[in-house]
Amino acid sequence: MMAPSKGILIVVASLTGGGAERVAAVWADGLAESGHRVTVLTDLSQPVTFMPSHRVRPVSFGLTPRPAGRGLRFASWAVVSRFRAAMALWRILRDERIDVIVDVGHQYGAEVLAIGRLKGVKLLQTDHNACTRPADMPMRLRERWRKFVQARFYDAVTVLTEPDRREMSRIGVKNAVVLHNPLIFERYAGEGLREKVVVAVARPGALRIKGVDVLLEAWRGVSERHRDWRLRIVGVSPADVGEYDGVETVPFRGDIAAEYRRAEIFVMPSRCEGWGLAAVESMSQGCAAIICDFEGRQREYVSDGVNGLVCRSGDAGGLENAIERVISDDGLRRRLQLAAPDGLERFAPALVARRLEKIIYGVCGDSES
């Protein structure tokens, strides 16, 4: 006998850009496909990049567009927005039968905890960032509170990697379980012509975390020896990174798979990466991947010299050497491209949604037989 379908509310700050937002939409579709009643509570005042299917009911927080800047107008908007989000959450729990709230990230964690507990709903938090930081990039107190204190009051917390689960347990958060991100791209079997392009992905608000400066330093030497190759950074503008020879910037695009299919090489130079959805996506499209590993997290899908090259995070010299190797050695590059998609089928959306479903059943005290 199968466990009964559930009323599931996914709370996510927005469905615009970003990896966590895409993951939330994929989860919603997967759970709805399995017969659950899924509602997504989010900010629909922004342009939606990842809209779930018709099986999922989207509900708006009712927010007004965010004002520019960080002054008094923004502060007033932030206060009103939290109140409106809380009221929208209250109305859904009042009017619908919701069994579990899936809180994507921490943006509205306080509201989810307070109102969810008051209404007797089970609570699942999903964390999409690494639980440790490099010594020169410590977490802010607010982030530590959300990640390590609020997490204890949820029925379960998902993290992206086994190193993060161990770290949460060490700190005292014993309810953490590993849930990898879903890979929405099918394996690219095409043999289309690729350009002499090294592609990377970043976003303006996280340039240091994403290691863009490390990549640009590494590229300076590579570019001098390989003038016919270009570095293409997707998700930023020249105003974000500056002007460099042989470097192109491209605004964020929804069809990012097209960027991966045109490039020979993908580089993830991050100093601190929770998992690396862009890396897995690029590998599924046959890029030769060069990945900066942060405390073993990326080694959960990259094996050095087998399906990619692995570098230490923050090491511009090591990254330069790795890029040089893959550009200069056609045989190595081709081997890495052919092996890159191997094993990624375990991140298929249906399988990840099934693992999430089991976590939800566990939180709700249900079992399957």
Side-chain angles (χ1 to χ4, degrees), residues 98-164:
I98 300 296
D99 299 295
V100 60
I101 301 175
V102 180
D103 176 20
V104 180
H106 313 98
Q107 181 67 31
Y108 295 102
E111 290 80 1
V112 166
L113 279 171
I115 298 173
R117 287 302 181 207
L118 187 63
K119 300 295 287 186
V121 177
K122 296 297 184 180
L123 303 176
L124 173 63
Q125 182 191 82
T126 67
D127 197 317
H128 296 264
N129 297 299
C131 294
T132 58
R133 297 285 189 276
D136 61 343
M137 298 176 62
M139 291 186 197
R140 294 175 297 177
L141 181 60
R142 181 181 179 185
E143 186 178 6
R144 292 186 64 83
W145 173 268
R146 287 175 167 179
K147 188 182 288 286
F148 303 130
V149 178
Q150 282 187 181
R152 300 165 191 254
F153 297 95
Y154 285 79
D155 295 289
V157 177
T158 69
V159 293
L160 291 173
T161 66
E162 182 59 26
D164 286 311

Side-chain angles (χ1 to χ4, degrees), residues 214 217-218 314-322:
V214 177
E217 182 180 345
D315 182 3
L319 184 59
E320 179 181 346
N321 291 337

Side-chain angles (χ1 to χ4, degrees), residues 62-84:
L63 309 185
T64 58
R66 175 176 175 164
R70 304 288 294 185
L72 180 59
R73 188 180 175 197
F74 170 80
S76 299
W77 173 87
V79 171
V80 172
S81 294
R82 298 200 77 89
F83 176 78
R84 289 183 174 179

